Amino acid sequence: MNLIATGDIAKTFAKDILLDPVTRGTSDVVHVITGIASSSSVESAKRFYAGVVQPRQSSSIDCSTYGSYKELVEDPAVDLVYISTPHSHHFQNCMLALNHKKAVLCEKPIAVNARQARKLHEVAKEKEVFLMEAMWTRFLPLSVVIRQLINDRVIGDMLRVYVNNSIGTAVETLDKSHRYLNLALAGGALLDIGVYPLTWLFQTLYHTQDPDLRSPPSAISSLVEFHESSGTDQMVSLIMRFSMPSNSRLKVAHGIASTSMVLPDTEARGGPTVHIYGLEGEIQVWGPAHRAQSIKVIPKPGHGQPWERSFPIPAQGHGMFWEADEAARCWLAGKLECPGIPWDESALVMDVADEIRRQVKIVYPDEIETTEYPVQLGARLS
Amino acid sequence: MNLIATGDIAKTFAKDILLDPVTRGTSDVVHVITGIASSSSVESAKRFYAGVVQPRQSSSIDCSTYGSYKELVEDPAVDLVYISTPHSHHFQNCMLALNHKKAVLCEKPIAVNARQARKLHEVAKEKEVFLMEAMWTRFLPLSVVIRQLINDRVIGDMLRVYVNNSIGTAVETLDKSHRYLNLALAGGALLDIGVYPLTWLFQTLYHTQDPDLRSPPSAISSLVEFHESSGTDQMVSLIMRFSMPSNSRLKVAHGIASTSMVLPDTEARGGPTVHIYGLEGEIQVWGPAHRAQSIKVIPKPGHGQPWERSFPIPAQGHGMFWEADEAARCWLAGKLECPGIPWDESALVMDVADEIRRQVKIVYPDEIETTEYPVQLGARLS
């Protein structure tokens, strides 16, 4: 794995993937970090190596450091890159890597709008290079089990899913340049934390359907509240309709999502944060929606007792290693996309975000909305 | 108390109010049933007396029976009436009682649209007669405690409330004349069970505010699904915005409500069914939203431990006796409306329902939408 960007998310990701895979039951994949690029200076990359990678990785593994992303992607030794820049920069960074035929695992959301996402998929296809959105929540074993329970029809036809994801950030203490408050970085709740509720709606109500029968959600309505001085969105509630298989009772299900920067993350101590309602019962998800910890399955009255199952994240990890394992498997197998988060779903999530932004007029600078490449972006990265 | 209608709801209500008030800690009010009217025959009323009232009420209390509602309201001995006809009939029945200067406690929703509700309030005011919507859920001690916790700012500024109320009815087994499926009876999820989520949104996000500062919700968006053959609404999800006091953080909160006829009532075994999200923590309500059983208060991280409190409904009652106690107190005190469910809130709930019906074109017959009185309604009551 080669890292593009050296911020907090890169640090969490690197620590995770350098843990012994046996601790999470993985035996077919081992990760190593062979390249690190900082946009500011090679010293930054070297500091990241010394502080994060070196203490965890065998010294027999070479790891190069670069003072620019361009240098990294131009290195013929580089194969798979992990991009963790702000999402405002994903399109340009992914284009850079794909154009150099590097396989890409890019942090969520993969772009700031659906046009950009689809353009990336086109380029990946054209260049025959692997591209995957790093929506790690979908690869938690808990998520995999829930999709299996749905497919096993444990709660029968689904009629409604409600998801909340809030992070209790003291927004008023943040500098205005912080990515949460910075429109030039596509800051705000919708793209930063709202993508988690959306991924829950998609992985439960869309991804569990036969791929040939999936259709995009419709009738999207939203309520959005803004941070006064920065103009970024800080709280979003939305409802939308998903078409369900023709043999399902109502043929539709409702997706309800809510997200807030400032609401405290009480779910960590008293969930549930996701309610998946079906005709035969309910699945509840406990713990923060982005990093859920346990599930409770409640059969409908008279059909057995509720049961619970915990999914602790092993080895004091954050839980990003499972997506890294999956990315590595897909890439090694020569796939272009990961079946766990197919390109069409990455783009559809952006369609929903685009529609909400259209409804309430959330507008980012042209330079981060464009599908032109290359464009030098103005906002400084930390 | 005098009963207009002798159906299942009247039965539940009568059984409840004839329980010894001491069992629920009430010492200032005792209920007796002094009149029973059936629209079909006096024999029906007599059967109700013999089967429900007589076994529970001292034989020293006279109870008259009537073969029509008109006979009951024309009896000068009758004072306070409880109306439990289908909501399609509430406007005509309330008008009948108010025009005879009888005090009225009428089942929820008090009418089928806001114009009717406001007309009833006008008439009650003009005639100087007590009128109250029997929204019993608001008078559960659990509801009273939650409103107090909100007023005590235990969870600080509220930013969002999500409520679900579903009842797991096997709609496909019902006769088409059943009130759930009968447009002539204003059947469907919205007015039958959707009023419970709405009452939760209003009692948390509206009623807890200073009466002078309350303002109606706005930006109402809904998703509604219909029962194929009857055309009644069977599932509703909605979002709306409530203005909050000017000293609150975002100055608004989001209300999210969902309801379904067919979804099983799993909440009874594995809640929560209401999430009240505030800046300082969350209040969860466990058990079915209309008849909630316990609460859990979860302070924000670092601010104390979550705590729980149960509110069992005493004496094997249903929980309607608390609203009856409150109605009696207000009426005896000479009030025209009950502060626990003021007229404006009854009407505002109907405004929300009207707006949803307008959005998705739920239309009832003219005769039950009219504010004309008297109108002889066609639909037969069971």
Side-chain angles (χ1 to χ4, degrees), chain A residues 68-372:
Chain A
S68 74
Y69 303 159
K70 190 159 178 288
E71 287 168 61
L72 180 140
V73 297
E74 282 176 346
D75 185 339
V78 166
D79 41 30
L80 175 60
V81 302
Y82 167 74
I83 298 174
S84 63
T85 51
H87 35 272
S88 50
H89 289 51
H90 289 172
F91 177 74
Q92 296 294 331
N93 302 148
C94 284
M95 285 294 278
L96 176 73
L98 294 173
N99 274 296
H100 287 82
K101 299 205 87 169
K102 305 304 180 189
V104 173
L105 173 65
C106 177
E107 263 308 325
K108 53 85 206 166
I110 197 156
V112 304
N113 59 45
R115 284 180 306 121
Q116 285 186 344
R118 294 201 167 91
K119 174 80 177 176
L120 292 176
H121 303 149
E122 270 168 39
V123 173
K125 196 172 178 183
E126 181 193 313
K127 304 276 184 192
E128 294 181 341
V129 182
F130 176 73
L131 171 66
M132 170 181 168
E133 182 178 28
M135 179 36 90
W136 59 292
T137 300
R138 291 180 72 120
F139 299 94
L140 300 174
L142 175 148
S143 290
V144 176
V145 165
I146 282 180
R147 297 197 299 265
Q148 191 58 51
L149 290 170
I150 290 170
N151 282 326
D152 291 347
R153 299 189 56 74
V154 164
I155 57 165
D157 295 340
M158 282 178 293
L159 292 187
R160 191 192 302 123
V161 176
Y162 169 69
V163 193
N164 176 51
N165 195 54
S166 299
I167 57 171
T169 297
V171 172
E172 70 283 1
T173 65
L174 299 177
D175 189 85
K176 275 183 191 170
S177 64
H178 190 283
R179 67 188 171 92
Y180 285 171
L181 299 179
N182 193 339
L183 281 171
L185 296 177
L190 181 63
L191 291 195
D192 217 304
I193 54 174
V195 291
Y196 292 112
L198 290 178
T199 214
W200 270 102
L201 297 186
F202 273 90
Q203 77 166 342
T204 52
L205 295 172
Y206 180 90
H207 193 77
T208 53
Q209 296 192 46
D210 183 323
D212 295 336
L213 300 175
R214 294 172 186 165
S215 59
S218 61
I220 300 162
S221 294
S222 61
L223 281 182
V224 179
E225 311 307 331
F226 293 89
H227 182 249
E228 275 184 27
S229 54
S230 72
T232 52
D233 62 289
Q234 296 290 298
M235 180 161 85
V236 182
S237 297
L238 67 94
I239 51 178
M240 57 185 165
R241 179 183 284 132
F242 283 81
S243 293
M244 301 305 283
S246 58
N247 62 344
S248 102
R249 178 73 164 276
L250 279 184
K251 300 184 178 56
V252 297
H254 291 180
I256 307 174
S258 63
T259 192
S260 165
M261 285 287 184
V262 298
L263 268 185
D265 169 22
T266 49
E267 286 85 3
R269 300 181 303 147
T273 184
V274 184
H275 293 267
I276 305 167
Y277 299 102
L279 271 181
E280 307 299 322
E282 181 184 344
I283 302 173
Q284 296 174 344
V285 179
W286 295 66
H290 58 277
R291 190 169 182 264
Q293 302 289 317
S294 63
I295 65 174
K296 182 170 182 179
V297 178
I298 308 166
K300 72 178 178 183
H303 288 70
Q305 286 307 305
W307 55 272
E308 297 176 35
R309 185 171 159 194
S310 287
F311 295 83
I313 294 174
Q316 275 98 48
H318 193 72
M320 300 172 91
F321 33 60
W322 285 299
E323 80 172 347
D325 295 350
E326 201 58 25
R329 281 183 200 112
C330 292
W331 169 60
L332 290 167
K335 293 179 183 172
L336 296 192
E337 61 183 317
C338 172
I341 176 81
W343 291 346
D344 91 297
E345 280 186 63
S346 294
L348 285 174
V349 167
M350 297 316 299
D351 279 333
V352 174
D354 285 355
E355 170 58 18
I356 294 165
R357 288 175 54 204
R358 191 193 63 75
Q359 289 174 8
V360 301
K361 298 188 180 55
I362 299 173
V363 180
Y364 306 128
D366 288 344
E367 64 174 23
I368 69 167
E369 294 264 20
T370 186
T371 54
E372 294 295 304

Side-chain angles (χ1 to χ4, degrees), chain B residues 173-227:
Chain B
T173 64
L174 299 177
D175 189 86
K176 275 184 192 168
S177 65
H178 190 282
R179 66 187 171 94
Y180 286 171
L181 300 179
N182 193 340
L183 282 172
L185 296 177
L190 181 62
L191 291 195
D192 217 303
I193 54 173
V195 291
Y196 292 111
L198 289 178
T199 215
W200 271 102
L201 298 187
F202 273 90
Q203 76 165 344
T204 53
L205 295 172
Y206 180 89
H207 192 78
T208 53
Q209 297 193 46
D210 183 325
D212 295 336
L213 299 176
R214 294 172 186 164
S215 59
S218 62
I220 300 161
S221 294
S222 61
L223 282 182
V224 179
E225 311 306 332
F226 293 89
H227 182 250

Side-chain angles (χ1 to χ4, degrees), chain A residues 20-31 321-322 325 329:
Chain A
D20 182 353
V22 170
T23 58
R24 59 182 179 272
T26 292
S27 55
D28 58 338
V29 177
V30 178
H31 303 280
F321 33 60
W322 285 299
D325 295 350
R329 281 183 200 112

